[in-house]
Amino acid sequence: MGALLLFPKRLAILPILVGTCYMTLGQGINIGPFSFTIIRMLLAVGLIRVVLRGEWHELKMVSMDWIILAWGAWALISSIFHQEPSSAVVFRLGLVYNVCGVYFIVRVFCRSLEEAVYLWLLIALLLLPVAVEMINEKVTVHNMFSVFGGVSSSPGIRHGTIRAQGPFAHSILAGTVGAVCLPAMVGVCQFHRKRGLMGVMACVAMVFASGSSGPIMSMIAGVGALVMWHYRSYMRALRWIAILIYVALDLVMKAPAYYLMARIDISGGSNGWHRARLIEMAIAHLHEWWLGGTDYTRHWMPTGVSWSPNHTDITNYYIKMGVIGGLPLMILLIALFAKGFSYVGQIIQRNNIHLPTRYKFMVWCLGASLFAHAATCISVSYFDQSFLFLYLTLAAIGSAWSTTVKTENRQGIVDPKNDSAI
């Protein structure tokens, strides 16, 4: 934690990344009703540093920043719609603290494309030991991170497949981290080939060591988005084609088109049907949660969860937001993704400022990582430290856009119709 206070700004994020990659949720302390994991303690120190050094003054707000603040505000306000508002607000305080803390600390410490590249170079180095441990875990059937508590010493096994999880709370989340980081590692290769390739290999190893279908599908989504770099001029038409294909499938299929995920089983033992059924049940019970969320979802599905008698297994991050704070919270999350994709597209299309192709490709890679997250959220609900990689990616894209706006302002190129820093 001392390093977080003393390191130069370029390295200030490193202790938080180390805590994310090498510590489990078993490390932390409880103060009254509040639980402070190692990530939350590091975020607290980071916020103290930002205030003491006045580094927050350098942050120029963009639309994405205001959306995430609105998301946090509604997450807290929606507590009044639940049976025990005091308990609900404690949970939401932790949620908002995690998300906004990570997002704004990264926005402060990573304020340019060059710093974004350096950030992902650090992540490439940090993920390599995690990948090595997960491979060792798969071979020895022993999780070395279990010494920190919070994870089992023996990895899960499904249909004979060993599912390594490393420091993360579940093998699916461990593999997901590798999958969503892979596109950004490809972008890093344009700046530091050896370190980028190390990151690519680490990400792929994490995906396959997890032994789960979901991370493989997330990786395919990310790689598919990378391939679209060659067709970036046709993205508007391709988006409409994708929508029309989905509508056509919905018309010809007996079940809703999203039930296609029930037929995907790459690693064996996939729960695709559960995930599709969850979407259907959330729509059927919309009247229960649309305004401010709900305290009871157990009747949605035939299976529940061990940690609560009131809920089914919400394996969908969008629906999780709906359960917590209703449609407003879900829509604000979707708006974050939409704004992130919008920023990527506008930066790529900018011809009035000089931006080397490798930097534009890096921005595209960040967009591909965000797309992998967006696809993952349909089947995965982040509930451990893996959430950091989602909001870190959003923050890096926000900083890239802020840099673009500042560059245009310095050159006297201002378009009042476009999103701009304030």
Side-chain angles (χ1 to χ4, degrees), residues 138 156-163 267-268:
K138 199 171 183 69
I157 301 176
R158 177 180 289 179
H159 299 290
T161 300
I162 299 172
R163 312 176 81 190
S267 62

Side-chain angles (χ1 to χ4, degrees), residues 35-316:
S35 176
F36 285 88
T37 62
I38 188 67
I39 302 299
R40 287 180 176 176
M41 289 188 282
L42 288 168
L43 288 177
V45 176
L47 292 171
I48 291 171
R49 171 202 166 111
V50 168
V51 172
L52 290 179
R53 294 195 176 193
E55 293 170 330
W56 65 276
H57 291 294
E58 301 171 8
L59 177 65
K60 301 298 181 183
M61 298 288 285
V62 295
S63 292
M64 184 185 288
D65 303 335
W66 295 111
I67 293 173
I68 205 163
L69 287 174
W71 175 92
W74 182 255
L76 295 175
I77 293 170
S78 62
S79 301
I80 64 176
F81 297 103
H82 293 259
Q83 293 179 358
E84 297 182 10
S86 58
S87 298
V89 77
V90 168
F91 169 76
R92 283 157 177 74
L93 281 170
L95 177 66
V96 173
Y97 174 81
N98 285 345
V99 170
C100 293
V102 167
Y103 178 86
F104 282 106
I105 281 180
V106 175
R107 284 279 285 115
V108 170
F109 292 158
C110 174
R111 294 181 295 109
S112 67
L113 274 171
E114 291 83 359
E115 290 175 347
V117 171
Y118 189 75
L119 169 66
W120 288 99
L121 283 170
L122 292 176
I123 294 174
L125 289 176
L126 292 174
L127 288 184
L128 187 60
V130 177
V132 171
E133 190 285 330
M134 288 179 65
I135 294 171
N136 178 73
E137 183 181 344
K138 199 171 183 69
V139 173
T140 64
V141 197
H142 176 73
N143 189 345
M144 296 174 64
F145 285 103
S146 61
V147 298
F148 298 117
V151 296
S152 173
S153 60
S154 300
I157 301 176
R158 177 180 289 179
H159 299 290
T161 300
I162 299 172
R163 312 176 81 190
Q165 67 184 88
F168 300 96
H170 198 282
S171 58
I172 293 177
L173 294 172
T176 294
V177 169
V180 297
C181 289
L182 178 61
M185 297 305 164
V186 174
V188 166
C189 289
Q190 304 295 312
F191 300 87
H192 197 295
R193 187 171 181 81
K194 289 183 179 180
R195 201 175 298 181
L197 288 174
M198 285 169 50
V200 169
M201 290 187 293
C203 290
V204 173
M206 290 175 67
V207 169
F208 286 100
S210 70
S212 305
S213 298
I216 295 176
M217 294 305 299
S218 298
M219 183 172 66
I220 292 173
V223 172
L226 284 177
V227 172
M228 289 296 104
W229 165 256
H230 300 290
Y231 309 99
R232 58 191 180 277
S233 299
Y234 309 101
M235 288 307 300
R236 182 181 295 274
L238 290 171
R239 284 196 298 268
W240 279 108
I241 290 172
I243 292 171
L244 291 174
I245 290 174
Y246 182 87
V247 172
L249 287 171
D250 207 49
L251 291 173
V252 301
M253 290 177 60
K254 293 181 179 179
Y258 52 76
Y259 265 91
L260 284 172
M261 72 175 71
R263 303 183 183 183
I264 300 173
D265 188 0
I266 298 174
S267 62
S270 174
N271 287 326
W273 180 87
H274 172 94
R275 289 167 168 80
R277 182 67 171 173
L278 178 63
I279 296 173
E280 184 178 14
M281 289 297 99
I283 295 171
H285 294 275
L286 179 63
H287 62 282
E288 298 176 1
W289 59 271
W290 72 272
L291 180 57
T294 179
D295 294 312
Y296 192 77
T297 61
R298 181 64 185 80
H299 59 301
W300 290 10
M301 303 286 288
T303 56
V305 289
S306 59
W307 52 267
S308 173
N310 297 325
H311 287 287
T312 189
D313 193 5
I314 307 295
T315 53
N316 183 306

